Amino acid sequence: MGRRRGADRSTRSARVAAPAVVVVAVVALLPGCPAPQRPAPAPASPSAPATATPAGSRAPTGFVDLSDVDPTVVTDIRYATAHNFVGRPIAGYREPLCLLTRPAADALRRAQQAARATGHRLKVYDCYRPQRAVDDFVDWAGRPGEQKMKAEFYPDVAKSRLFADGYLGAPTAHSRGSTVDVTLVPDPPPGQPPYAPDAPLVACTAPVGERYADNGVDMGTGFDCFDPRAHTTDRRITGAARDNRELLLRLMADAGFTNYPREWWHYRLADEPHPDTYFDFPVARSSL
């Protein structure tokens, strides 16, 4: 969202370019947001300071479009659409593409090969996320009146708690280019009805037959579901949904990814090539 959002939620000390400093400062001022005191499930912060690239810059050598590495991975880049927790396309998402560092894309290809051996394919919701998108999330979080998508994405959590409870993070590992939000779909993938923005919203925690008709397998909640039931090992998730989460966890771990325990969909390449750099080039083919 990740979340998202959706970082390794590290509380590392970051010396970044001016735009990213503003992001951290704004997050610190959000009501009820003691992010530095939040338990960090990610590895300890490295000693090297984090850096950020200038806004508008192109991707450095080594970033690729996942479709050029493995076109069989299904993509559903939600932040390039209106179907996300904000309810509109997010800043920096010019095209619905999955951009990644080459090592992350190669690792995802290995995970895809293993998934297909089980009768599944991977489906990605988000990959590289520019810093400007994170800034957009922070700005949105500071406007309490904007909650058009609450009934679907955070039905039981106050918007003011999204950062403090670890559902959103700034900065985010996604901006380093080796983190993905991913699920499993049957192979071959079934069709997915187009998103209907005027349809009534249904809670992401509703049963699989009632919530948004994603073509993924049942994972117990929808994607970007800001709720404890989205925690990877939440005990309330049983049966097929729990089996599916465990399968995804095994496939991704075998390929070199680490899961963020509060989000069943969030995986970071453990040996990422840019562990301290947050990029800001737009999600577009022209960035490569």
Side-chain angles (χ1 to χ4, degrees):
M1 198 255 226
R3 288 91 143 10
R4 157 251 60 30
R5 196 216 50 75
D8 56 4
R9 274 55 174 197
S10 169
T11 56
R12 68 189 65 185
S13 174
R15 176 169 56 82
V16 296
V21 171
V22 172
V23 171
V24 177
V26 173
V27 173
L29 293 174
L30 287 175
C33 183
Q37 301 173 13
R38 193 168 61 240
S45 301
S47 58
T51 58
T53 59
S57 61
R58 294 186 62 182
T61 301
F63 272 78
V64 296
D65 183 338
L66 178 63
S67 66
D68 293 336
V69 177
D70 191 337
T72 69
V73 176
V74 180
T75 58
D76 184 6
I77 309 300
R78 294 284 186 87
Y79 298 144
T81 76
H83 190 206
N84 56 63
F85 63 90
V86 176
R88 56 167 171 75
I90 304 303
Y93 285 82
R94 297 180 184 174
E95 298 176 57
L97 301 176
C98 175
L99 305 185
L100 289 170
T101 63
R102 184 66 193 233
D106 287 341
L108 206 62
R109 176 175 57 187
R110 294 193 297 272
Q112 173 76 330
Q113 292 170 346
R116 298 195 76 175
T118 70
H120 298 86
R121 292 195 196 188
L122 300 178
K123 170 178 170 175
V124 291
Y125 295 111
D126 193 35
C127 301
Y128 159 73
R129 182 183 307 161
Q131 180 63 44
R132 70 193 73 183
V134 180
D135 296 349
D136 198 2
F137 290 155
V138 173
D139 290 344
W140 169 82
R143 296 191 290 270
E146 295 186 15
Q147 302 200 51
K148 63 183 293 186
M149 304 300 286
K150 176 177 174 55
E152 178 175 353
F153 291 97
Y154 51 108
D156 300 317
V157 178
K159 182 179 178 180
S160 63
R161 296 295 307 173
L162 294 182
F163 275 96
D165 291 350
Y167 297 114
L168 297 179
T172 170
H174 280 277
S175 298
R176 304 197 297 261
S178 298
T179 293
V180 294
D181 291 339
V182 62
T183 191
L184 294 169
V185 298
D187 189 15
Q192 177 172 304
Y195 172 61
D198 296 329
L201 297 179
V202 178
C204 57
T205 54
V208 65
E210 299 176 17
R211 62 179 184 261
Y212 174 73
D214 191 297
N215 63 350
V217 301
D218 183 16
M219 290 289 186
T221 75
F223 164 63
D224 256 2
C225 189
F226 302 158
D227 187 275
R229 279 164 284 194
H231 295 183
T232 306
T233 59
D234 188 275
R235 293 181 180 275
R236 289 168 290 182
I237 305 303
T238 59
R242 187 173 189 85
D243 292 343
N244 290 333
R245 289 189 185 188
E246 291 177 350
L247 174 60
L248 179 61
L249 184 65
R250 176 173 60 81
L251 293 170
M252 296 296 286
D254 288 348
F257 289 91
T258 299
N259 174 245
Y260 174 56
R262 293 183 183 226
E263 298 172 348
W264 59 257
W265 55 84
H266 180 104
Y267 286 86
R268 176 184 59 83
L269 185 66
D271 192 18
E272 59 182 307
H274 303 289
D276 307 306
T277 305
Y278 299 86
F279 298 99
D280 195 35
F281 57 87
V283 178
R285 188 78 185 190
S286 61
S287 294
L288 301 178

